[in-house]
Amino acid sequence: MEESEAATQKDTVDNICVEESAENQINEATGEVSSQMSNPGSVSKPSEDTEARYYERLKLFDKVMQKSLEKFIEHASFNRFASTFRPLYKKNPQRMESIYKEFIEEMRKTIQEDISRLIEEGRLEFKLNELDKLESAAKKNKDPAWRPSGVPEQDFCSFLMPYLQKQEAYMRLELKKIQAENAALAQKVQAGRESVVQTEHRISTAVDEWKASVTEFERLASSLCPADAFDA
């Protein structure tokens, strides 16, 4: 008996939710598109030749998101909700149904706000314009598009080799910079060593000259004042 009542309540709630969600989706989609098209500060305004295309893509995006939202809400059925809170459901089924409706509406509103925020923060219009440019460039490119060969090793190598080659070129450039820095440092060290050798040579020369001057002074002193002149 309880299961049949729960199934009946589920069908009723689902029908009401689907009707309300369909109406809300139309209103929200219209409101979001009009607000984004009329608000130039949120994202860059598309040109006239891409405005219609962007509008259609935005409607398709919103339709896909709403369909995904409905699929998600279908999993949060009243039966699952009631089975989770079965003691409360047995005490007051009507109150539980009211809580479920409020829960679904709040969840729908929150998810819809998150989707709108993602559209604004993710700059969906700019990304769609970039997609148009990529499509146009792909049409102009006559070269065949890349397709997997069926051999994962080859596909992986073809994807990884350009990256490794760039890294190798970068490492070679850095190696040349380090070698140049080392050469400059080696020159500075060699110049320092030569300066030390020259300084040592100058010091040694100065010491020799000082010793020679001292010896000459002693010789002159001894010749001018002989030691026997001071004998008593």
Side-chain angles (χ1 to χ4, degrees):
M1 187 63 180
E2 290 179 357
E3 292 180 356
S4 61
E5 290 178 0
T8 304
Q9 290 175 357
K10 175 184 177 299
D11 295 337
T12 304
V13 171
D14 291 343
N15 291 333
I16 294 173
C17 291
V18 170
E19 293 175 358
E20 291 179 353
S21 64
E23 184 177 356
N24 291 334
Q25 290 167 14
I26 295 173
N27 295 333
E28 290 173 354
T30 306
E32 287 172 1
V33 173
S34 61
S35 63
Q36 292 181 1
M37 297 299 292
S38 62
N39 185 9
S42 59
V43 289
S44 57
K45 186 178 180 181
S47 58
E48 294 180 358
D49 57 342
T50 58
E51 184 175 356
R53 182 177 177 85
Y54 168 71
Y55 182 79
E56 292 297 327
R57 279 183 168 179
L58 187 61
K59 287 203 307 184
L60 178 61
F61 176 81
D62 187 73
K63 183 178 179 181
V64 171
M65 296 305 295
Q66 294 299 331
K67 201 167 188 179
S68 301
L69 177 59
E70 291 303 321
K71 291 277 188 183
F72 174 75
I73 290 178
E74 284 179 4
H75 289 285
S77 61
F78 180 75
N79 282 342
R80 291 185 176 180
F81 188 80
S83 63
T84 305
F85 305 98
R86 185 169 297 276
L88 298 176
Y89 172 74
K90 289 182 178 181
K91 290 182 179 180
N92 195 340
Q94 290 77 14
R95 179 58 180 167
M96 181 60 65
E97 183 178 352
S98 176
I99 293 174
Y100 172 75
K101 289 181 180 180
E102 293 178 4
F103 167 74
I104 291 296
E105 290 303 320
E106 187 64 27
M107 182 174 64
R108 186 190 303 276
K109 180 181 177 182
T110 302
I111 294 176
Q112 188 64 49
E113 289 176 353
D114 290 340
I115 293 174
S116 301
R117 192 179 301 109
L118 285 174
I119 292 175
E120 181 179 358
E121 295 179 356
R123 301 178 63 193
L124 180 63
E125 179 179 357
F126 177 74
K127 297 301 181 182
L128 292 178
N129 291 337
E130 280 191 343
L131 181 61
D132 290 338
K133 293 178 181 179
L134 291 175
E135 288 181 356
S136 178
K139 290 178 181 178
K140 294 178 182 179
N141 188 10
K142 302 301 181 180
D143 297 332
W146 181 87
R147 294 291 183 272
S149 63
V151 182
E153 293 81 3
Q154 294 181 2
D155 296 337
F156 184 73
C157 289
S158 65
F159 170 77
L160 192 60
M161 281 302 296
Y163 172 77
L164 294 178
Q165 289 174 351
K166 290 181 180 179
Q167 291 296 317
E168 183 181 4
Y170 172 76
M171 295 300 294
R172 290 182 182 276
L173 181 62
E174 290 296 319
L175 179 60
K176 288 181 179 180
K177 290 181 180 179
I178 293 174
Q179 289 176 345
E181 292 177 357
N182 290 338
L185 291 174
Q187 291 179 357
K188 290 182 179 180
V189 170
Q190 184 64 29
R193 289 177 178 176
E194 292 177 357
S195 177
V196 169
V197 171
Q198 292 176 1
T199 303
E200 289 179 349
H201 178 70
R202 286 195 298 267
I203 292 172
S204 177
T205 303
V207 169
D208 292 340
E209 290 176 354
W210 178 77
K211 288 180 178 179
S213 62
V214 169
T215 304
E216 182 65 20
F217 176 77
E218 290 178 349
R219 186 181 66 77
L220 290 174
S222 63
S223 63
L224 292 174
C225 300
D228 55 358
F230 295 96
D231 294 340

